[in-house]
Amino acid sequence: NAGVTQTPKFQVLKTGQSMTLQCAQDMNHEYMSWYRQDPGMGLRLIHYSVGAGITDQGEVPNGYNVSRSTTEDFPLRLLSAAPSQTSVYFCASSYSGRLQETQYFGPGTRLLVL
Amino acid sequence: AQKITQTQPGMFVQEKEAVTLDCTYDTSDPSYGLFWYKQPSSGEMIFLIYQGSYDQQNATEGRYSLNFQKARKSANLVISASQLGDSAMYFCAMREGGNYKLSFGAGTTVTVRA
């Protein structure tokens, strides 16, 4: 299994540009989520999905869109990039939503918005 | 309000010694789970250990153990016999009840000295 994969690894955008961060998992996990990591703040949940066709907002959803058309993929779209969206983005997945179920993280995408 | 507090921004530890990383949490939900993750300089998030609020015993995983003090709302991670490869950022995180969101602390950087 490749686990959770993310592309690209690194991206530079100009303010106002849009882009999609890709996330895929091959573990047949139902639950997937996107986090952003900023210095001194740990990780914060952006959006999550409990299954294909079902998404919900996390703690910091503004400026981001998601969709879940398949179990495997959960792309994150930046509609109009802003410098405040400069961050490291992590995708994570878990088999179920049980409390003790750990989330498996992808390698991250480092985004710089100029 | 901050749900997870990690008060130690950085720590140094001598190789082969034990180190304790502090984590306090805030929740009124009787059902919650506490997680510790390791983030080496390469950036990936690695799950280390889990403690459920109803677990009677402290969790252990190899050289990692969790000192869970429910009344004090603390879940400190103990790494025994530190190795150079333990140098990393360590995050404490919590899930509450039926909420899928993981709330992270700001992290503690551990540097192991030879």
Side-chain angles (χ1 to χ4, degrees), chain A residues 78-98:
Chain A
L78 279 70
L79 308 171
S80 178
S84 60
Q85 294 178 304
T86 293
S87 189
V88 181
Y89 291 85
F90 286 96
C91 179
S93 73
S94 63
Y95 182 71
S96 75
R98 290 184 309 157

Side-chain angles (χ1 to χ4, degrees), chain A residues 31 37 42 90 94 97-98 102, chain B residues 37 39 43 47 91 95 100 105:
Chain A
Y31 285 69
Q37 182 179 20
F90 286 96
S94 63
R98 290 184 309 157
T102 189
Chain B
Y37 286 87
Q39 186 177 42
F47 165 72
F91 290 97
R95 275 189 63 194
Y100 187 64

